[in-house]
């Protein structure tokens, strides 16, 4: 299994915009090797100056992820946004990729 993690810091009160964007149905789910996508919002503290959103995308393999990255649908989506400024509420964004080495008894939650 292979996991891509996006870490996005946004202005206070803006995390719902990313939850809606990443949580809505899209074309990524149709890509072979896609397992699931999770959107998490860090529990806020009073002293936080921003909200933090984590997006985890699980793939069957690194090759499946690479195929998505090279797919016409993915490339076209980035072309459409080329040259456009990032949303004003996004402070900072980064991403990392991980090869999963061990998994312990996963149980799906009853409801989200």
């Amino acid at each position: 299994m292979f996991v891509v993690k996006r870490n996005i810091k946004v202005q206070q009160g803006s995390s719902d915009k990313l939850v809606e964007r990443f949580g809505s149905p899209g074309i990524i789910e149709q890509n072979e090797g896609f397992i699931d996508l999770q959107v998490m919002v860090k529990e806020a503290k009073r002293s936080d100056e921003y909200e933090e959103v984590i997006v985890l995308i699980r793939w069957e393999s690194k090759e499946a992820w690479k195929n998505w990255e090279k797919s016409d649908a993915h490339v076209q989506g980035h072309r459409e946004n080329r040259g456009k400024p990032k949303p004003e509420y996004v402070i900072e964004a980064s991403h990392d990729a991980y090869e999963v080495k061990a998994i312990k008894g996963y149980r799906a939650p009853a409801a989200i």
Side-chain angles (χ1 to χ4, degrees), residues 20-32:
E20 183 178 330
R21 176 178 166 203
F22 285 103
S24 298
I27 56 175
I28 193 171
E29 298 96 293
Q30 299 165 18
N31 201 66
E32 190 171 331

Side-chain angles (χ1 to χ4, degrees), residues 38-54:
Q38 300 171 15
V39 183
M40 301 174 283
V41 177
K42 183 178 178 183
E43 193 168 304
K45 299 174 188 163
R46 284 188 210 161
S47 61
D48 289 345
E49 297 177 14
Y50 56 82
E51 294 178 325
E52 188 173 345
V53 179
I54 304 289

Side-chain angles (χ1 to χ4, degrees), residues 10-20 41 51-53:
V10 297
Q11 295 172 352
Q12 286 287 355
S14 299
S15 62
D16 287 348
K17 295 175 187 176
L18 287 181
V19 171
E20 183 178 330
V41 177
E51 294 178 325
E52 188 173 345
V53 179

Side-chain angles (χ1 to χ4, degrees), residues 2-3 7 9 24 41 51 63 66 74 91 101-102 107:
F2 194 74
V3 177
N7 185 344
K9 294 178 182 177
S24 298
V41 177
E51 294 178 325
E63 292 72 31
K66 284 183 175 183
H74 185 258
I91 298 168
K101 299 294 185 177
R107 280 193 311 261

